[in-house]
Amino acid sequence: MTFAIEKRPDDILLKGELDMSAEHELTRSLDPEPQNGGDLVLDLSELTFIDSSGVRVLLRTADRLADRGRVILRTPSPAVARVFDLMRLETVPNIEVQKE
Amino acid sequence: MLQTYRSHPAQLARIRDTVRDLAVQAGLQRGRIEDLVLAISEAAANAIVHSGSGRLTVSWEVTDDRVVVEVRDEGVFRKRVPMPELDGVGGHGIPLMMALVDEVSVREGTAVAPGTVVRMVVGRGSQAATG
């Protein structure tokens, strides 16, 4: 398994390695979410890798939600949190990285 | 060590697995391994998206004090200045590579001499910068 998306009642679980081969799949999956504004919660505890194309999807999603909601990035693994730190994702107004 | 891959996004996971194993064998620290694996994956992704060539190669060399990796394609480098105002949220690959490893250089493939080579170096010592 390279990458998988599991939609759950309260959040979306991302699993495996997220690179450009999964960029469109993830974009398609996040596009309709959330239907009526509000926060989009992504559980990243089982995501072991992310590259700049994965971050790009998150940035586009946050941009689309604008002031109608936040992208909550929950419990990233150390490798994923490292990329978020380097790319300063926490400075995006409607992105919140929850490390624990 | 030199390996050739088809220029396709599905190859990225294979490339990462291979260089992760090599990095472990080279005795790199855990954090440095993931940094180098991501940097190589970014370079390979650029080659796949931008070079227009059908394959890419990854070479791996370990010396006493460092690891030198070259990601090579057969295409022409697209010269451009990063312009966040125009590029939207893309164009972070090369700056990310620079943040991840100790040295990055790009030999740009041209129409006359195709083949872009991204060369990345990480130190093997514990003194290596981790940002």
Side-chain angles (χ1 to χ4, degrees), chain A residues 11-24:
Chain A
D11 63 7
I12 298 174
L13 178 68
L14 304 186
K15 296 195 270 193
E17 304 191 10
L18 172 54
D19 63 28
M20 60 179 279
S21 67
E23 188 176 352
H24 293 298

Side-chain angles (χ1 to χ4, degrees), chain B residues 1-130:
Chain B
M1 166 86 61
L2 180 74
Q3 275 167 319
T4 301
Y5 299 88
R6 202 161 48 87
S7 183
H8 189 279
Q11 298 289 302
L12 289 171
R14 255 188 75 205
I15 293 171
R16 288 195 297 272
D17 287 346
T18 301
V19 296
R20 191 176 286 117
D21 286 347
L22 291 168
V24 170
Q25 286 167 28
L28 293 183
Q29 294 171 316
R30 189 183 169 86
R32 298 237 88 198
I33 291 173
E34 286 311 308
D35 282 0
L36 180 58
V37 167
L38 173 55
I40 293 167
S41 189
E42 291 286 338
N46 278 351
I48 290 167
V49 175
H50 299 302
S51 76
S53 65
R55 59 181 182 171
L56 62 109
T57 61
V58 179
S59 74
W60 178 276
E61 183 193 354
V62 181
T63 69
D64 285 347
D65 60 348
R66 60 194 192 156
V67 173
V68 181
V69 183
E70 288 186 353
V71 177
R72 180 182 302 255
D73 63 46
E74 298 168 348
V76 173
F77 189 80
R78 187 180 54 152
K79 286 181 185 288
R80 65 192 310 190
V81 175
M83 295 286 283
E85 303 85 344
L86 305 177
D87 299 340
V89 294
H92 297 118
I94 291 178
L96 182 55
M97 288 176 223
M98 295 183 74
L100 291 165
V101 298
D102 299 328
E103 290 178 41
V104 178
S105 60
V106 181
R107 201 212 70 181
E108 302 174 359
T110 64
V112 180
T116 295
V117 183
V118 178
R119 181 175 182 273
M120 289 173 284
V121 180
V122 292
R124 296 177 68 195
S126 57
Q127 76 282 2
T130 52

Side-chain angles (χ1 to χ4, degrees), chain A residues 14-80:
Chain A
L14 304 186
K15 296 195 270 193
E17 304 191 10
L18 172 54
D19 63 28
M20 60 179 279
S21 67
E23 188 176 352
H24 293 298
E25 182 191 358
L26 181 61
T27 300
R28 270 202 312 274
S29 190
L30 297 186
D31 263 354
E33 307 273 350
Q35 276 97 358
N36 304 308
D39 294 345
L40 175 60
V41 181
L42 300 179
D43 181 341
L44 305 183
S45 56
E46 295 181 41
L47 191 70
T48 56
F49 175 88
I50 191 168
D51 72 355
S52 65
S53 68
V55 171
R56 192 159 60 221
V57 176
L58 301 177
L59 288 170
R60 284 204 191 109
T61 302
D63 195 47
R64 182 173 55 77
L65 287 175
D67 55 2
R68 294 179 297 111
R70 297 175 300 169
V71 176
I72 311 285
L73 304 172
R74 193 163 282 168
T75 53
S77 65
V80 171

